[in-house]
Amino acid sequence: ELKVEQNPLFLSMQEGKNYTIYCNYSTTSDRLYWYRQDPGKSLESLFVLLSNGAVKQEGRLMASLDTKARLSTLHITAAVHDLSATYFCAVDSTSGTYKYIFGTGTRLKVLA
Amino acid sequence: NAGVTQTPKFRILKIGQSMTLQCAQDMNHNYMYWYRQDPGMGLKLIYYSVGAGITDKGEVPNGYNVSRSTTEDFPLRLELAAPSQTSVYFCASSYMGAQLAGAHEQYFGPGTRLTVT
């Protein structure tokens, strides 16, 4: 069964600090996605990682993928208040019936 | 492009009533999905469709029905509403190419906030 786990579930951090969110998944997949959800809003796509070793960066966020370890990280550099949101990773699997599974989400709060 | 649109934005239902949540996309995406998100929780897949006329159950399909008569539309039907169906419902779409290759990031609608009392 495809499972996607994130940690931490909650993260409160000071502005200017660095931190990493982890996403572990349980099955073979070369594709991993990161989404952002602001409070009361919908989800928007942040990054699409399509191969082992893929790294994508946008502003203060950098995502990477290690398919051998079945692990993706979302690194936050010098956090600012505007990054406060819930971040979800997701994995899809084409083995057998197609599946697209979201992680539990990490609720990030950046304190001024 | 409007992307993925959902109606209504908000709805209050009485127990036992029925309703249809509408979802439409104008990106010619073949895959469409319905999720529910309970307060403070992640997404749970209700149903998905890989193309017109083809639908399949997700993780939590009980109490819901879907149809996909066109590429653009993917309505979700709630029969006999129950308080446990109080949630925010998101519709999403993605494009899946040949050989299942490429990126399948999902594009989400704004959501429908449903309360059953």
Side-chain angles (χ1 to χ4, degrees):
Chain A
E1 182 185 351
L2 176 56
K3 291 186 178 179
V4 183
E5 295 180 343
Q6 289 180 236
N7 69 82
L9 297 182
F10 300 96
L11 177 56
S12 180
M13 56 192 298
Q14 296 289 330
E15 277 194 329
K17 298 293 187 182
N18 304 333
Y19 209 84
T20 300
I21 298 171
Y22 297 89
C23 174
N24 291 272
Y25 55 98
S26 63
T27 195
T28 303
S29 177
D30 290 332
R31 297 190 293 241
L32 188 128
Y33 311 86
W34 284 97
Y35 294 85
R36 168 179 172 148
Q37 185 179 34
D38 291 318
K41 303 292 187 182
S42 186
L43 282 78
E44 61 176 332
S45 175
L46 284 175
F47 299 110
V48 178
L49 302 169
L50 296 179
S51 61
N52 186 43
V55 177
K56 294 277 185 76
Q57 183 162 6
E58 179 75 32
R60 300 173 187 272
L61 300 177
M62 183 174 72
S64 65
L65 178 62
D66 181 344
T67 59
K68 294 178 182 178
R70 299 180 183 174
L71 171 69
S72 179
T73 60
L74 180 66
H75 187 72
I76 304 156
T77 301
V80 294
H81 180 71
D82 285 352
L83 290 179
S84 297
T86 299
Y87 295 86
F88 292 94
C89 63
V91 175
D92 65 351
S93 170
T94 57
S95 174
T97 303
Y98 179 72
K99 294 181 179 63
Y100 199 113
I101 305 295
F102 280 82
T104 47
T106 295
R107 191 178 301 175
L108 171 65
K109 186 171 184 180
V110 181
L111 305 173
Chain B
N1 287 350
V4 180
T5 57
Q6 292 183 239
T7 56
K9 287 188 170 60
F10 304 94
R11 184 72 186 267
I12 298 174
L13 281 182
K14 294 189 185 303
I15 294 171
Q17 287 184 320
S18 300
M19 75 164 295
T20 299
L21 281 66
Q22 301 292 343
C23 174
Q25 52 92 10
D26 62 359
M27 298 174 283
N28 201 31
H29 285 171
N30 46 0
Y31 278 55
M32 295 186 75
Y33 314 80
W34 273 107
Y35 295 94
R36 61 176 286 173
Q37 185 178 36
D38 297 332
M41 305 295 284
L43 297 171
K44 293 185 178 179
L45 181 64
I46 304 171
Y47 272 95
Y48 70 100
S49 168
V50 304
I54 306 170
T55 62
D56 207 349
K57 296 178 181 178
E59 185 184 358
V60 289
N62 291 346
Y64 308 94
N65 278 299
V66 293
S67 60
R68 183 107 180 262
S69 57
T70 67
T71 299
E72 295 78 18
D73 300 299
F74 190 40
L76 176 72
R77 177 84 177 161
L78 278 73
E79 304 282 1
L80 299 175
S84 61
Q85 294 178 305
T86 294
S87 190
V88 179
Y89 291 84
F90 290 104
C91 178
S93 71
S94 68
Y95 179 73
M96 181 77 75
Q99 311 301 320
L100 307 181
H104 309 133
E105 60 189 311
Q106 295 191 5
Y107 294 80
F108 282 79
T112 295
R113 190 175 297 272
L114 176 68
T115 302
V116 182
T117 61

